[in-house]
Amino acid sequence: IRDSLDLYRLGEQEELESLGIDDIYQDQGICLIEWPERGAGILPEPTLSLELKHLEHGRELLARAHNAQVEGWLEQTQSHFEADPQIKD
């Protein structure tokens, strides 16, 4: 992971420029972004979306690929995302 951004407190989308968003996306690697909808129109389209849902007994991770390359990666790594019955919350 090269960078991570939490955009929850972003006041205006133009503030992304002061965070160096252009430099972040010129680098190769993974950038995790929380609250990406606050940067809509400025941020590039995602390649992978992760959503963590809180359930009555545990959590569920939903992963969505937005291109063929990431879809292939998800298929190859799917077993790593499956729940382990030995792990308890």
Side-chain angles (χ1 to χ4, degrees), residues 44-74:
E45 291 297 314
T47 56
L48 174 66
S49 297
L50 300 174
E51 180 181 351
L52 186 61
K53 287 187 169 190
H54 294 276
L55 306 174
E56 185 176 338
H57 299 287
R59 294 173 293 226
E60 178 181 47
L61 175 66
L62 301 173
R64 292 183 191 89
H66 296 278
N67 67 37
Q69 181 181 7
V70 175
E71 188 173 323
W73 176 81
L74 278 178

Side-chain angles (χ1 to χ4, degrees), residues 5-83:
L5 300 172
D6 183 347
L7 303 183
Y8 180 74
R9 291 183 175 82
L10 188 70
E12 297 182 14
Q13 291 181 342
E14 290 75 27
E15 291 178 30
L16 281 172
E17 293 175 14
S18 67
L19 294 174
I21 197 70
D22 291 334
D23 296 332
I24 290 171
Y25 282 106
Q26 289 178 5
D27 292 337
Q28 295 293 320
I30 296 172
C31 179
L32 299 176
I33 302 175
E34 295 179 75
W35 300 89
E37 60 275 9
R38 295 181 180 261
I42 295 176
L43 296 174
E45 291 297 314
T47 56
L48 174 66
S49 297
L50 300 174
E51 180 181 351
L52 186 61
K53 287 187 169 190
H54 294 276
L55 306 174
E56 185 176 338
H57 299 287
R59 294 173 293 226
E60 178 181 47
L61 175 66
L62 301 173
R64 292 183 191 89
H66 296 278
N67 67 37
Q69 181 181 7
V70 175
E71 188 173 323
W73 176 81
L74 278 178
E75 288 173 3
Q76 292 175 358
T77 59
Q78 184 175 4
S79 64
H80 296 285
F81 292 106
E82 294 173 356

